Amino acid sequence: MEKAEGRNQTPIAEFIVLGFGGVPELQPLLFLLFLLIYIVTLATNALVIVLVVTDQQLQTPMYFFLGNLSCSEVCFSSTILPRLLASLLTGDRSVSVVGCMVQVYFFGVITASENLLLIAMSYDRYLAICNPLRYAALMNGRVCSQLVAGSWVISFLCCTMVDVFLFQLRFCDSKEIDHYFCDFMRMVKLACSDTRTVQLLAFAVSAFLMIVACLLILVSYICIITTILRIPSAAGRQKAFSTCSSHLIVVALYYGIPIMLYVVPVIIPSELPHKIFSAFCSLLLHMINPIIYTLRNKEVNESLRKAVSKLVAARNIPRFGTNNCLHRIK
């Protein structure tokens, strides 16, 4: 509060998100790279969603969760990248205070929902490997829908509690956010009013979600690995492990990258290279998730092959029909 008393108390209407303005010579390259990441993210995740919805072979709980995870990946990238791309293209880095708060809100909701979806996916793999005989009864369509709906409802409720206090803050004097999007902690530091309540609540909600997610996923995989090791044949162990290896890789990346981003500033003291590294790691993670699942999954690859075959056949039918008609006319 002492810091706030020395500031100009005139309210501000917008923030300046500095982004990568410190390296103007790299703006075109960064724009192209982030545009490529965004296009690939949308394309790969949309492909997974379409395959899960249209292919009867993929109408199972595991792929239902995967489709929902792909939806959240699309939402996450669309929350950050369009504004970042516009800033890199036009040089306009201003964002209204309300716009920044909305971005913070949806960023929090999507991040929290991804944590909870990963828990649901680990629970699904736990049942499939540790309780295969009861899997169909315990993980039916109604339970899957409830788990996904519960993930989003809990995420909205938790983030709404935090943002009720965030929307009550006043911002004045300084308005520069040294990040590539409207980051919660950097916004709070610019507030002129007391931020102890919102910071404490945000920390409690984040810690609760992260700790619960890590513990539940850890317990699930301890049980899964213990069960796999009891399988007598090597082929059986390999087959059982292959059903959860993709999810395990995604979980390792999802929780490993944030840890790495805290370690990197010690190695890379400059703020700008760390900011670029952080952006690429965070956004690339949401791009490669569907690729990991697709490359390591025979069912998805088979579904994709059939979809491509049908598309090629559908394109060839009119052409062959036209040639036949012309041949008959001749």
Side-chain angles (χ1 to χ4, degrees):
M1 293 299 292
E2 292 178 3
K3 185 178 178 181
E5 289 174 0
R7 292 180 178 178
N8 177 1
Q9 297 297 309
T10 304
I12 60 173
E14 63 181 21
F15 291 114
I16 303 297
V17 181
L18 297 179
F20 307 103
V23 282
E25 67 279 4
L26 291 180
Q27 300 283 312
L29 176 61
L30 290 174
F31 173 81
L32 292 175
L33 287 175
F34 285 124
L35 179 61
L36 177 63
I37 290 174
Y38 189 43
I39 292 172
V40 174
T41 301
L42 293 181
T44 53
N45 282 288
L47 179 61
V48 170
I49 295 169
V50 170
L51 291 177
V52 170
V53 171
T54 58
D55 194 331
Q56 289 294 328
Q57 186 181 358
L58 302 183
Q59 303 285 317
T60 63
M62 181 174 70
Y63 297 110
F64 177 75
F65 292 129
L66 177 58
N68 280 276
L69 183 64
S70 291
C71 286
S72 68
E73 307 286 18
V74 171
C75 293
F76 181 91
S77 299
S78 298
T79 300
I80 295 176
L81 278 170
R83 183 68 196 93
L84 176 59
L85 290 172
S87 172
L88 290 170
L89 184 63
T90 65
D92 180 15
R93 298 190 291 274
S94 61
V95 184
S96 68
V97 172
V98 173
C100 245
M101 289 183 174
V102 170
Q103 187 181 53
V104 166
Y105 178 70
F106 283 106
F107 175 85
V109 168
I110 296 165
T111 303
S113 68
E114 286 182 343
N115 272 279
L116 298 174
L117 281 173
L118 288 174
I119 297 175
M121 295 176 78
S122 67
Y123 177 62
D124 172 70
R125 292 300 84 203
Y126 162 77
L127 290 179
I129 294 173
C130 300
N131 294 282
L133 298 179
R134 301 181 61 198
Y135 177 73
L138 294 175
M139 189 58 71
N140 53 45
R142 182 174 60 84
V143 172
C144 293
S145 300
Q146 289 175 346
L147 287 172
V148 171
S151 299
W152 286 102
V153 169
I154 292 172
S155 301
F156 274 108
L157 289 176
C158 290
C159 293
T160 299
M161 284 193 300
V162 175
D163 279 57
V164 164
F165 291 93
L166 180 65
F167 272 81
Q168 293 176 3
L169 297 181
R170 292 185 302 107
F171 299 92
C172 51
D173 192 19
S174 179
K175 59 181 182 178
E176 290 185 348
I177 297 178
D178 190 11
H179 208 52
Y180 59 91
F181 70 100
C182 295
D183 180 64
F184 173 82
M185 289 307 300
R186 286 172 172 81
M187 274 187 65
V188 168
K189 289 179 180 179
L190 300 179
C192 299
S193 47
D194 188 359
T195 62
R196 286 173 294 185
T197 301
V198 69
Q199 287 193 69
L200 181 61
L201 184 59
F203 174 79
V205 169
S206 301
F208 172 76
L209 290 174
M210 290 292 292
I211 291 172
V212 168
C214 288
L215 284 178
L216 290 177
I217 292 173
L218 181 62
V219 170
S220 296
Y221 273 99
I222 289 174
C223 296
I224 288 171
I225 293 171
T226 303
T227 302
I228 290 175
L229 292 177
R230 291 175 183 167
I231 298 174
S233 67
R237 288 194 297 270
Q238 183 178 359
K239 182 179 179 181
F241 184 74
S242 66
T243 64
C244 59
S245 58
S246 297
H247 178 256
L248 188 58
I249 292 171
V250 170
V251 168
L253 290 173
Y254 194 86
Y255 293 107
I257 285 179
I259 294 173
M260 184 172 58
L261 293 179
Y262 281 106
V263 175
V264 167
V266 179
I267 305 171
I268 307 176
S270 175
E271 177 67 23
L272 186 59
H274 173 249
K275 195 190 304 181
I276 295 175
F277 181 76
S278 171
F280 275 109
C281 284
S282 300
L283 297 170
L284 279 173
L285 172 63
H286 295 80
M287 182 186 77
I288 65 175
N289 278 354
I291 298 175
I292 291 172
Y293 278 102
T294 302
L295 292 178
R296 298 183 60 85
N297 195 291
K298 292 180 181 178
E299 288 85 358
V300 176
N301 285 327
E302 180 63 21
S303 176
L304 180 60
R305 187 190 64 78
K306 289 192 297 184
V308 172
S309 299
K310 289 180 181 178
L311 182 62
V312 171
R315 292 186 62 185
N316 288 338
I317 288 172
R319 184 179 63 191
F320 293 152
T322 303
N323 289 339
N324 290 337
C325 290
L326 291 173
H327 178 72
R328 289 174 182 175
I329 291 172
K330 291 178 181 179

